[in-house]
Amino acid sequence: MGNSALKSHLETSQKTGVFQLTGKGLQEFPEELQRLTANLRTVDLSGNKIEVLSATIGNFPQLKSLTLNSNRLAGIPSEIGKLKKLETLSLNGNRIQQLPPTLGQLKALRTLSLAGNQISEFPSGLGTLRQLDLLDLSRNKIQNVPAEVSELQAIEINLNQNQISVVSAEVSRCPRLKVLRLEENCLELSSIPQSILNESQVSLFSVEGNLFEVRKLRDLEGYDQYMERFTATKKKFA
């Protein structure tokens, strides 16, 4: 990509606070963006070939949305934790295996989307994200949903297409959780905590494509209570 094209993008971004450069074969995070640290609010570099997210990402205090879907990122620098105004972090379709502990410092974060990576353990330390609405960890390699999940403030947790065979009953204690997606995992009916049905706030519990027939859920204690929540929510949005 020519310097003149990049220069023109930078000039536009200076005025709009938005830098979008997708599908251009970029191999690194453009250092030229450092000129815009004071006013850049949105960055979208999806569909490139970026392997490393530079530590300089921490220099953008006004950033509200960072999207790097479909790149080649293997990790996230700890400096990400400096982005105190960040509301959306979308890193779908990369090669990320672990998250830095500093991610828990993103107090304004509402959407954390990490679908289609190589995460094998449910991320810890996300309970401090009090504004979190959506956590998308679909299409990873997670095998276990641990007790620590109860600390999450998320309204929706998407764990479709992992390798999950164990779900802690503590998931039912998530204070704001309304939508729990566990489609296409390795769950037996006996692995489903009944507390999700009769003690949680969950009104959409999605478990198609596991090792049992979905209609067998009806046999579990608490199914009627779950269906009351499901129906009430459906009416609300009808």
Side-chain angles (χ1 to χ4, degrees), residues 8-132:
S8 131
H9 270 280
L10 288 168
E11 285 170 3
T12 306
S13 302
Q14 186 83 46
K15 297 170 193 157
T16 62
V18 176
F19 185 83
Q20 183 173 27
L21 204 57
T22 57
K24 299 293 184 191
L26 290 182
Q27 296 189 353
E28 53 190 36
F29 191 83
E31 286 301 314
E32 293 86 348
L33 286 183
Q34 293 300 312
R35 295 179 219 159
L36 305 175
T37 51
N39 65 339
L40 209 55
R41 292 187 308 278
T42 299
V43 171
D44 185 354
L45 293 166
S46 298
N48 284 294
K49 299 176 181 176
I50 299 169
E51 295 184 13
V52 176
L53 183 54
S54 163
T56 57
I57 192 63
N59 299 342
F60 296 88
Q62 304 304 319
L63 205 59
K64 287 192 164 186
S65 175
L66 177 60
T67 304
L68 284 132
N69 297 333
S70 304
N71 275 279
R72 298 175 180 177
L73 297 175
I76 308 169
S78 59
E79 287 78 5
I80 196 93
K82 295 178 181 175
L83 304 179
K84 302 302 181 195
K85 294 188 177 180
L86 197 68
E87 295 179 3
T88 300
L89 179 59
S90 188
L91 302 170
N92 300 330
N94 280 283
R95 301 169 182 176
I96 296 164
Q97 296 180 16
Q98 287 182 313
L99 308 181
T102 52
L103 208 62
Q105 296 169 15
L106 300 177
K107 301 293 193 242
L109 201 66
R110 292 185 173 279
T111 299
L112 177 55
S113 201
L114 294 157
N117 277 284
Q118 295 175 14
I119 298 167
S120 56
E121 290 191 11
F122 195 94
S124 61
L126 300 181
T128 51
L129 304 176
R130 314 308 282 179
Q131 306 298 321
L132 193 65

Side-chain angles (χ1 to χ4, degrees), residues 36-231:
L36 305 175
T37 51
N39 65 339
L40 209 55
R41 292 187 308 278
T42 299
V43 171
D44 185 354
L45 293 166
S46 298
N48 284 294
K49 299 176 181 176
I50 299 169
E51 295 184 13
V52 176
L53 183 54
S54 163
T56 57
I57 192 63
N59 299 342
F60 296 88
Q62 304 304 319
L63 205 59
K64 287 192 164 186
S65 175
L66 177 60
T67 304
L68 284 132
N69 297 333
S70 304
N71 275 279
R72 298 175 180 177
L73 297 175
I76 308 169
S78 59
E79 287 78 5
I80 196 93
K82 295 178 181 175
L83 304 179
K84 302 302 181 195
K85 294 188 177 180
L86 197 68
E87 295 179 3
T88 300
L89 179 59
S90 188
L91 302 170
N92 300 330
N94 280 283
R95 301 169 182 176
I96 296 164
Q97 296 180 16
Q98 287 182 313
L99 308 181
T102 52
L103 208 62
Q105 296 169 15
L106 300 177
K107 301 293 193 242
L109 201 66
R110 292 185 173 279
T111 299
L112 177 55
S113 201
L114 294 157
N117 277 284
Q118 295 175 14
I119 298 167
S120 56
E121 290 191 11
F122 195 94
S124 61
L126 300 181
T128 51
L129 304 176
R130 314 308 282 179
Q131 306 298 321
L132 193 65
D133 291 334
L134 170 64
L135 175 61
D136 188 349
L137 291 164
S138 58
R139 304 197 322 277
N140 276 286
K141 299 178 178 180
I142 297 167
Q143 298 178 13
N144 176 12
V145 181
E148 191 188 346
V149 71
S150 66
E151 297 171 11
L152 290 180
Q153 298 292 318
I155 294 171
E156 176 174 346
I157 300 176
N158 187 342
L159 290 161
N160 289 348
Q161 293 179 304
N162 276 276
Q163 299 164 13
I164 296 166
S165 58
V166 178
V167 179
S168 168
E170 294 293 302
V171 72
S172 61
R173 297 178 61 182
C174 291
R176 299 202 305 152
L177 189 63
K178 297 280 193 289
V179 178
L180 179 58
R181 301 185 189 277
L182 283 162
E183 294 175 23
E184 294 182 47
N185 277 284
C186 306
L187 290 165
E188 303 274 3
L189 186 63
S190 57
S191 312
I192 303 291
Q194 291 188 11
S195 57
I196 294 176
L197 300 175
N198 59 14
E199 290 176 27
S200 77
Q201 307 284 320
V202 173
S203 55
L204 178 59
F205 183 41
S206 192
V207 289
E208 287 79 4
N210 279 283
L211 305 179
F212 62 92
E213 292 177 43
V214 176
R215 59 189 177 83
K216 293 275 176 68
L217 265 188
R218 297 175 200 161
D219 301 336
L220 294 183
E221 194 178 326
Y223 181 78
D224 290 347
Q225 285 158 277
Y226 161 68
M227 281 310 292
E228 281 173 21
R229 295 193 304 273
F230 174 80
T231 308

